[in-house]
Amino acid sequence: MADPAFLDDAPPDDLVEVGRVAAAHGVRGWLKIQPYSPQADALLGAPVWWLKAPDPVAGSGALPRPRGLRIRACRRQAGQFLAAQADGIADRDTAESLRGYTVWVPRAAFPSAGDDEYYWIDLIGCDFHGMGDDGPRLLGRVDQVLDNGAHAVLQVALGAPDAEGVFQPLSDARGRPRHVLVPFVAAHVQHVDLQARRIDSDWPADF
């Protein structure tokens, strides 16, 4: 088993985690990739992926920095998986050694989104406002975007920033964060301002 041909370059500052290596694909060193979103254009178009090992460095407790891997080919597979061929990976064992690695690409590699289109990664972290009796009200913050097959669904962690501006999630009686799921469709979401990190909707504040 050969070592993957990782690049010596330093990782870019704008890396975004977009998927993980699920397994080897076939016997010739291809990788089976699970994207975190059906929007896999950044993975399909980026000539270099940055992989980060899932386990801490021995003795330090710290995760190693992402390492670049030049991608020769990438194509869609059934079930929203991708299959990718990378430099220095020519056999199944080498590909399998990367199972569980997370995959990162620079934000600059993302194609421009069209009108009224948004990358899921850009929605995560936005403050979500619903509608109360007295008008718009902050409900919480988007911490995940899900796919129900028909459209995206925002998972909103209920809560609000404290006096220092640090978001404080609400918890249930067992100490678990409370969430609300909101369909990301025009019927409920009226405005998205990525620069202000704000989403406005008609979702009832007391839902």
Side-chain angles (χ1 to χ4, degrees):
M1 179 180 70
D3 291 330
F6 286 117
L7 304 177
D8 293 329
D9 306 45
D13 294 331
D14 61 342
L15 288 180
V16 176
E17 185 178 349
V18 293
R20 66 179 182 86
V21 179
H25 180 72
V27 297
R28 297 185 177 179
W30 284 66
L31 301 169
K32 183 178 182 181
I33 306 298
Q34 173 66 72
Y36 292 155
S37 161
Q39 300 167 315
D41 292 349
L43 278 169
L44 290 166
V48 174
W49 294 354
W50 296 84
L51 271 61
K52 183 184 290 187
D55 298 320
V57 176
S60 71
L63 290 175
R65 68 172 185 145
R67 302 179 68 188
L69 198 61
R70 193 169 303 280
I71 303 302
R72 295 181 181 177
C74 183
R75 61 176 184 243
R76 295 185 184 274
Q77 297 293 111
Q80 298 183 352
F81 284 95
L82 302 179
Q85 184 182 42
D87 280 354
I89 305 179
D91 60 82
R92 184 177 181 86
D93 288 343
T94 304
E96 191 65 24
S97 72
L98 297 177
R99 179 195 288 264
Y101 276 57
T102 53
V103 181
W104 305 64
V105 297
R107 183 62 181 84
F110 284 49
S112 298
D115 294 340
D116 294 326
E117 293 182 343
Y118 304 94
Y119 283 106
W120 290 8
I121 191 67
D122 291 336
L123 300 174
I124 295 173
C126 286
D127 288 337
F128 185 86
H129 291 73
M131 190 60 63
D133 294 338
D134 54 352
R137 183 187 305 174
L138 176 64
L139 298 186
R141 184 166 291 174
V142 178
D143 65 2
Q144 191 173 354
V145 183
L146 311 172
D147 181 14
N148 71 358
H151 52 71
V153 177
L154 304 178
Q155 177 177 288
V156 180
L158 299 179
D162 60 18
E164 298 180 354
V166 179
F167 182 77
Q168 300 295 333
L170 296 177
S171 300
D172 62 17
R174 297 185 178 181
R176 298 172 300 188
R178 293 174 55 193
H179 291 90
V180 62
L181 299 178
V182 181
F184 188 61
V185 295
H188 294 298
V189 177
Q190 280 73 52
H191 185 66
V192 177
D193 187 337
L194 293 180
Q195 187 171 7
R197 309 298 294 154
R198 175 177 175 137
I199 298 174
D200 289 285
S201 79
D202 67 352
W203 201 255
D206 57 352
F207 185 83

